[in-house]
Amino acid sequence: MFILTLKELDWLRLHARKSESMINIKYYDSNDFPRYLPKLNALYDDLFFSGKGFRSKLVGLAAKHLKLEDKTYILLAQTIEFIHNASLLHDDLIDRSHLRRNKPTAWLKYSPEYAVLAGDYLLARVMVNLSSFGNLKLIQYTAEIISNLLEGEWIQDSLVNDWSVNLERLDQVHNLKTASLFKWCLRAPFVAKEIYDDELHELLDNSGSILGLLFQRSDDLLDFDIRNFEGKAILGDLKSGYLNSFGAYLLEELKQKQIEPFKNSQTLDDLYSAIGREYFDERLAEFDHKNKSLINLYSHYMTQLESKDFEGIKDYTKDLKNLPDILYWRNVKK
Amino acid sequence: MNTQQFVTLKKTDKNFKSYLEGSFSHELRALPELSLNVNTAREQVTFRLQKTEEIKKPNLLILLFKLFRIDWLSLSLGPVLATYSYLFVNDLSIDHSSAYLALIAVIFFHSAVFAINDYKDHVTGVDRLQLTGGSQVIQKGWIAAYNVRRLGILLFILGSLIGGYLILQQPIFLVAVGVLTSLSVLGYSFYGQGLKYLGFGEVIAFFCFGPLLTYGFSRAASHFHSLEIVGLGIGFGYFAAMILLARQMENIASDAKLGIKSLTVRLGFDKAKKLIEYTLVLSPFVLFLTLHFIVKANLSYFALLPFSYFSIKLYLNFRSVSSSFSSGVEGLRLKIADLHVIYSTLVLFSLWLQS
């Protein structure tokens, strides 16, 4: 799970919709869900009240600059948070995770059946809400994104305990699973406003892919205690038998005899003993360099985006340009 | 130019082709960025501009080795050497000058197919979406795409000239066969999306690296033909088709999204996996049939033991693969290529042992 610091959230809140009612947008309301279904509201209360709503705030950036109506913004924010949280409910059951946002996961606290159904219900609500809005292209696009998300999850599950998977393959998985929602956050506001320019959407798609990759790679680095400002638990992926992007990158150049101790590392000290601290630091520097190239490419896309002739695009691009620093380096520029 | 520079061009842009082919500049190379987005990658391309002097290239020999896929030459040389050995051990008269010409033509065609394939995958954007395959010489900026195209066409012409000379000494129906083979080779990559992407790749690979090659070489070198010569090619063609099947398995997800109708896409992951498993299990049987009916060398049955060991081991490793993204699929075609080399070596060894 990606963790933002309070400073990063403040930045996003300030740059999102400035109207008072929108700063802390309420995309979840228990009145939206039937109270006659046992435990459903309790499950959603647990799920939504501890979330930071990063994706809805990303949508908020677009909503501000594109001057979307409030109800459209709320719809989009709700849609993305519902999809994201539905995927969390399912993910936690698939991975058999015990904690989510420092609380017991839904499948553990309630039941696996309720966790699956609660996730499905959120996705169904998304379709109901979007249908009421009436923009067919938005419905179609959202359905595609959900489909991609599920594909990514399916494929990722097939890679557990695969210790030879490489970074390029994982990027394809993350592009489906993680980057899909970022792409949606960038594109959906334009679709909602019925701006369908192909080049614009291709740029947004490519930019969203990069943001998603940077987000995922930064999250994967947290697992190795890199820029782990919030003190998240480390080596969780490794211990679960899942090789994340940085793990795959580390493994690429290892000798055969180092792989087994690497896999079995329980602490960072074990890891450093297995592969050498110097090797770890070298690979980290190379990994960062790789991602700097991605950030350069992202900057190029932002320059292209800026030149597009749509109202609000220049200011929107200015805000988007700061995202790599937040997502990857976890720095917030004043 | 110290910082990375990018340029994004639409396919309708007048400079697009020159950037893609590398002819826009001698000092700079435009390297297309890999795309993760299948549906959107086809309208415009982002190039990363790099100074050609800053690109670390290997020496010319290694570059040509990689471009012409000399590491895969066993696919072509295996059947040719096996045919030559068959002719020799069976005391059939060989016209050595024709044999050498035929060998050179085969090497030219082999190199041409791979070079043209690389070029075509580059200009259609397939190599920006598929991570594996190809020599990578264009993606790495070692050589401009238009030069790869030129070299490919040149080698194809040279191979055709030599092949044409040899074929014209044959009966007319074989001329037709020769022309058909050449068209298949071109059609593999050049026709539209390439016949390989319409589900015919395995068939073409089977014939062109198998029976057509052994039969054609035998006719060229000694004017001899028989069912056994064709049979000799079947085993080689079998492995060539398997290699292509494995290659397509690696790219099944991106191929499906691109609308490419390869055999693995048509079958789907589960059935394609089963097909590969069956072909691996049956491969010792293919060797047995070749040794028993074609080579007819009793002692060489011992060759079945090590071969069976390798093929069954490969089968067991592959059986645990759970998706096309698994690492078990990643190197599969290379392992099957190794199996092809072992097969070729055992057939050659058995032929010479018999003499």
Side-chain angles (χ1 to χ4, degrees):
Chain A
M1 188 201 76
F2 183 75
I3 296 169
L4 287 175
T5 64
L6 289 173
K7 216 160 59 163
E8 288 150 1
L9 276 174
D10 279 343
W11 183 90
L12 272 171
R13 256 204 298 272
L14 282 170
H15 284 73
R17 201 65 180 249
K18 284 212 187 311
S19 84
E20 192 61 43
S21 60
M22 290 299 121
I23 286 175
N24 289 305
I25 180 172
K26 196 176 170 195
Y27 46 78
Y28 164 68
D29 189 325
S30 59
N31 291 321
D32 290 340
F33 296 93
R35 291 180 185 279
Y36 55 79
L37 292 176
K39 298 199 169 71
L40 185 69
N41 288 109
L43 193 154
Y44 286 150
D45 283 345
D46 285 343
L47 186 67
F48 285 108
F49 279 118
S50 53
K52 292 191 174 70
F54 171 74
R55 289 161 187 78
S56 59
K57 289 177 175 66
L58 196 53
V59 169
L61 286 180
K64 178 179 92 167
H65 296 296
L66 296 181
K67 297 185 173 51
L68 290 182
E69 285 178 18
D70 288 354
K71 64 179 173 121
T72 308
Y73 171 37
I74 293 173
L75 170 71
L76 294 180
Q78 193 176 62
T79 299
I80 195 61
E81 289 298 335
F82 278 15
I83 296 172
H84 173 57
N85 282 282
S87 75
L88 295 182
L89 285 169
H90 291 160
D91 265 0
D92 287 339
L93 175 58
I94 290 168
D95 300 338
R96 302 295 192 268
S97 303
H98 287 212
L99 288 175
R100 167 66 63 187
R101 296 164 183 159
N102 293 320
K103 288 184 184 172
T105 45
W107 73 270
L108 204 57
K109 183 174 176 181
Y110 299 95
S111 71
E113 293 84 356
Y114 277 173
V116 168
L117 291 169
D120 291 348
Y121 201 92
L122 285 175
L123 295 177
R125 285 304 309 180
V126 161
M127 289 300 135
V128 166
N129 295 343
L130 288 179
S131 303
S132 306
F133 183 64
N135 182 327
L136 189 58
K137 284 196 192 298
L138 183 61
I139 297 170
Q140 198 174 15
Y141 177 55
T142 305
E144 264 172 41
I145 289 298
I146 293 172
S147 169
N148 287 345
L149 181 64
L150 292 170
E151 259 190 55
E153 184 61 45
W154 193 290
I155 294 166
Q156 186 174 51
D157 192 57
S158 72
L159 297 178
V160 173
N161 291 321
D162 187 338
W163 297 96
S164 302
V165 67
N166 60 34
L167 181 61
E168 286 73 29
R169 284 286 180 207
L170 285 177
D171 282 348
Q172 286 192 315
V173 175
H174 296 149
N175 188 54
L176 287 169
K177 196 174 166 236
T178 311
S180 285
L181 297 190
F182 279 84
K183 287 190 260 187
W184 191 94
C185 290
L186 298 187
R187 287 182 65 181
F190 288 89
V191 178
K193 211 163 154 84
E194 297 183 6
I195 298 171
Y196 302 124
D197 183 78
D198 284 340
E199 278 173 45
L200 168 72
H201 281 279
E202 190 163 339
L203 273 174
L204 293 171
D205 223 43
N206 290 334
S207 305
S209 280
I210 293 176
L211 287 180
L213 277 187
L214 290 173
F215 178 109
Q216 186 62 59
R217 288 178 180 185
S218 175
D219 194 51
D220 291 346
L221 283 171
L222 289 181
D223 209 54
F224 293 89
D225 206 27
I226 305 298
R227 295 186 279 274
N228 186 12
F229 306 132
E230 293 274 324
K232 183 192 166 192
I234 57 170
L235 297 184
D237 290 340
L238 201 64
K239 289 174 193 171
S240 313
Y242 176 65
L243 201 60
N244 69 27
S245 59
F246 186 56
Y249 195 69
L250 280 175
L251 223 58
E252 262 175 33
E253 309 260 306
L254 282 186
K255 296 187 183 62
Q256 201 55 40
K257 62 178 183 185
Q258 292 172 297
I259 293 175
E260 208 56 40
F262 173 88
K263 279 157 58 175
N264 296 329
S265 302
Q266 295 297 307
T267 64
L268 272 180
D269 286 335
D270 291 345
L271 193 94
Y272 296 146
S273 303
I275 67 174
R277 185 67 202 252
E278 204 180 301
Y279 173 81
F280 181 90
D281 290 339
E282 256 172 40
R283 292 300 274 174
L284 175 61
E286 285 167 21
F287 193 69
D288 280 343
H289 182 74
K290 241 178 154 29
N291 292 306
K292 273 186 207 160
S293 295
L294 266 186
I295 293 171
N296 285 340
L297 182 57
Y298 178 82
S299 300
H300 167 72
Y301 289 141
M302 289 298 108
T303 308
Q304 297 244 285
L305 197 60
E306 224 169 20
S307 65
K308 288 285 167 199
D309 188 22
F310 296 105
E311 195 192 342
I313 202 81
K314 281 187 172 34
D315 292 329
Y316 181 43
T317 313
K318 246 190 243 170
D319 283 340
L320 287 180
K321 278 181 184 173
N322 292 314
L323 287 178
D325 282 329
I326 296 173
L327 292 179
Y328 189 74
W329 298 111
R330 298 167 169 267
N331 291 330
V332 177
K333 288 196 176 106
K334 297 285 177 208
Chain B
M1 187 175 69
N2 290 323
T3 57
Q4 284 181 328
Q5 274 189 23
F6 298 97
V7 62
T8 299
L9 294 172
K10 282 183 281 189
K11 291 189 176 179
T12 50
D13 194 298
K14 63 178 186 329
N15 294 323
F16 180 82
K17 194 173 176 199
S18 64
Y19 270 75
L20 191 65
E21 292 207 330
S23 54
F24 75 104
S25 166
H26 289 296
E27 290 78 36
L28 294 173
R29 191 87 4 109
L31 306 173
E33 282 292 318
L34 208 64
S35 175
L36 291 165
N37 299 315
V38 171
N39 293 329
T40 59
R42 318 198 76 178
E43 302 313 315
Q44 52 190 30
V45 176
T46 298
F47 298 94
R48 178 168 40 93
L49 299 179
Q50 202 154 352
K51 285 183 182 168
T52 45
E53 65 196 22
E54 285 174 4
I55 296 172
K56 281 189 200 144
K57 276 183 274 206
N59 66 47
L60 183 63
L61 220 59
I62 294 176
L63 196 153
L64 292 176
F65 184 94
K66 286 195 179 292
L67 174 61
F68 298 134
R69 310 305 298 276
I70 305 301
D71 50 338
W72 289 86
L73 200 54
S74 59
L75 276 178
S76 304
L77 283 190
V80 164
L81 292 175
T83 308
Y84 179 87
S85 305
Y86 178 91
L87 296 170
F88 187 89
V89 302
N90 285 289
D91 291 321
L92 294 159
S93 73
I94 300 172
D95 175 355
H96 282 94
S97 53
S98 293
Y100 294 142
L101 281 175
L103 178 64
I104 292 167
V106 163
I107 293 172
F108 281 161
F109 274 127
H110 171 97
S111 305
V113 162
F114 281 107
I116 292 169
N117 205 45
D118 268 2
Y119 170 79
K120 188 72 176 168
D121 282 350
H122 174 72
V123 297
T124 55
V126 165
D127 65 356
R128 288 193 289 289
L129 296 158
Q130 290 176 352
L131 300 172
T132 60
S135 64
Q136 302 285 310
V137 300
I138 300 176
Q139 290 94 316
K140 288 179 180 168
W142 291 351
I143 182 167
Y146 77 97
N147 281 328
V148 171
R149 184 191 75 229
R150 283 176 178 178
L151 282 168
I153 291 173
L154 175 67
L155 289 169
F156 185 82
I157 291 171
L158 289 172
S160 299
L161 287 172
I162 299 172
Y165 163 74
L166 292 168
I167 282 171
L168 286 172
Q169 295 167 40
Q170 304 293 332
I172 195 74
F173 85 93
L174 284 174
V175 174
V177 167
V179 168
L180 188 65
T181 308
S182 303
L183 288 175
S184 301
V185 164
L186 269 182
Y188 179 80
S189 282
F190 250 144
Y191 174 74
Q193 272 186 315
L195 290 174
K196 65 177 177 175
Y197 293 128
L198 297 173
F200 297 108
E202 288 81 6
V203 173
I204 293 175
F206 172 80
F207 281 105
C208 291
F209 288 106
L212 277 178
L213 189 51
T214 52
Y215 185 82
F217 184 81
S218 175
R219 288 292 315 185
S222 81
H223 295 269
F224 174 76
H225 67 266
S226 71
L227 276 176
E228 283 174 350
I229 286 288
V230 173
L232 186 64
I234 287 175
F236 290 104
Y238 181 86
F239 286 98
M242 271 174 72
I243 290 168
L244 190 62
L245 203 59
R247 162 89 168 81
Q248 286 171 0
M249 191 63 147
E250 288 172 20
N251 296 308
I252 189 174
S254 52
D255 281 355
K257 287 178 195 280
L258 282 167
I260 292 170
K261 303 252 184 276
S262 63
L263 182 61
T264 49
V265 166
R266 288 173 201 264
L267 289 174
F269 176 80
D270 295 325
K271 286 186 181 159
K273 181 169 178 260
K274 273 271 172 288
L275 178 61
I276 293 174
E277 286 173 5
Y278 291 147
T279 55
L280 284 169
V281 166
L282 286 173
S283 53
F285 186 60
V286 170
L287 177 65
F288 168 76
L289 289 175
T290 306
L291 294 179
H292 183 77
F293 289 108
I294 315 295
V295 177
K296 297 179 180 126
N298 295 324
L299 285 175
S300 55
Y301 293 149
F302 289 107
L304 280 173
L305 283 169
F307 187 83
S308 301
Y309 169 76
F310 285 117
S311 61
I312 299 302
K313 190 176 168 201
L314 194 50
Y315 158 75
L316 290 171
N317 284 337
F318 182 67
R319 210 167 57 146
S320 63
V321 154
S322 49
S323 83
S324 62
F325 286 73
S326 299
S327 56
V329 172
E330 190 80 29
L332 182 65
R333 64 191 159 92
L334 296 174
K335 289 176 185 152
I336 296 178
D338 288 343
L339 212 56
H340 179 278
V341 170
I342 297 170
Y343 173 87
S344 305
T345 309
L346 289 171
V347 166
L348 281 170
F349 177 74
S350 303
L351 279 165
W352 287 101
L353 199 67
Q354 189 197 6
S355 70

